[in-house]
Amino acid sequence: MTILAFSGSPRAGSAVSHLLRAAAALAPSGTTVAFYEDILSLPHFSPDLDGPCDSAPAAVAALRAQMQSADAVLIATPEYAYGMPGSLKNALDWLVSAGSFYQKPTGVLSASPSEVGGERARSGLLLTLEALGAAVVPEASFPVPFVRTKLDGSGLVLDAAFAEKLEQALVALAATVPAT
Ligand SMILES: Cc1cc2nc3c(=O)[nH]c(=O)nc-3n(C[C@H](O)[C@H](O)[C@H](O)COP(=O)(O)O)c2cc1C
């Protein structure tokens, strides 16, 4: 099975991307984790540009193909001004007509240096994912407060209890997909 680790950060060296890399390293055996970290390649969404996969802009078609081939998604957002980054909302708008998230098992994380861990952004993200029909997996969905104490600049997990929580999140997400 394949889990798509979907970073909602537009930033190079992002804490959210480090978080997803750390989670991937803890995935159960038999799980492949693919990464989407190309959010800045997407054009601004407009319904005027929104066509079927074979006529969509190349970056959009690539995103839709990655979503299509994933059995489950682990999405993570930073918090910008109490919301998700505009670039992440833009990516999700491109996925509406494709139905990419419909019934897709999805873990929903946020991370921030603050004590609420980006929970306000995560709340907004959950609302959008509800509109898209994602099947949110509660055990794989939580905010990560004080992210700089949990991961170092290279994405190494610094906190054993947190590593355990991340590992359990990946196990829960993988368990949503029947073995083939
Ligand atoms: C424009 C901007 C707005 C931000 N607003 C918030 C905020 O409202 N709440 C918060 O906890 N952190 C806020 N932050 C801090 C980010 O959450 C923090 O930089 C985080 O590490 C970004 O994630 P990233 O490293 O994955 O890009 C903001 C950062 C920027 C650049």
Side-chain angles (χ1 to χ4, degrees), residues 7 9-11 13-17 77-83 111-114 116-118 120 147-148:
S7 173
S9 175
R11 196 172 75 80
S14 150
V16 154
S17 297
T77 185
E79 182 165 286
Y80 286 178
Y82 290 5
S112 143
S114 85
V116 291
R120 292 161 292 216
V147 66
R148 288 181 190 145

Side-chain angles (χ1 to χ4, degrees), residues 14-179:
S14 150
V16 154
S17 297
H18 285 325
L19 171 64
L20 290 174
R21 296 266 165 195
L26 296 166
S29 64
T31 306
T32 301
V33 181
F35 292 88
Y36 183 73
E37 292 179 340
D38 205 17
I39 213 159
L40 289 180
S41 68
L42 297 169
H44 287 169
F45 175 78
S46 165
D48 292 337
L49 300 175
D50 189 15
C53 277
D54 54 3
S55 66
V60 174
L63 168 60
R64 288 175 175 169
Q66 269 198 287
M67 284 294 300
Q68 178 72 29
S69 61
D71 298 299
V73 176
L74 183 64
I75 189 168
T77 185
E79 182 165 286
Y80 286 178
Y82 290 5
M84 75 181 98
S87 46
L88 175 55
K89 182 61 165 62
N90 184 57
L92 297 176
D93 288 345
W94 278 114
L95 295 175
V96 172
S97 66
S100 304
F101 266 103
Y102 186 67
Q103 293 186 344
K104 189 82 81 181
T106 304
V108 186
L109 304 176
S110 59
S112 143
S114 85
E115 65 184 342
V116 291
E119 179 58 17
R120 292 161 292 216
R122 206 178 73 90
S123 300
L125 175 56
L126 284 166
L127 205 57
T128 299
L129 290 172
E130 182 183 341
L132 271 57
V136 173
V137 178
E139 302 85 354
S141 301
F142 46 84
V144 180
F146 306 120
V147 66
R148 288 181 190 145
T149 68
K150 305 216 166 71
L151 296 168
D152 75 4
S154 67
L156 190 73
V157 181
L158 302 170
D159 174 325
F162 180 62
E164 170 81 20
K165 187 171 180 176
L166 261 189
E167 187 172 5
Q168 289 310 312
L170 269 290
V171 168
L173 200 51
T176 62
V177 180

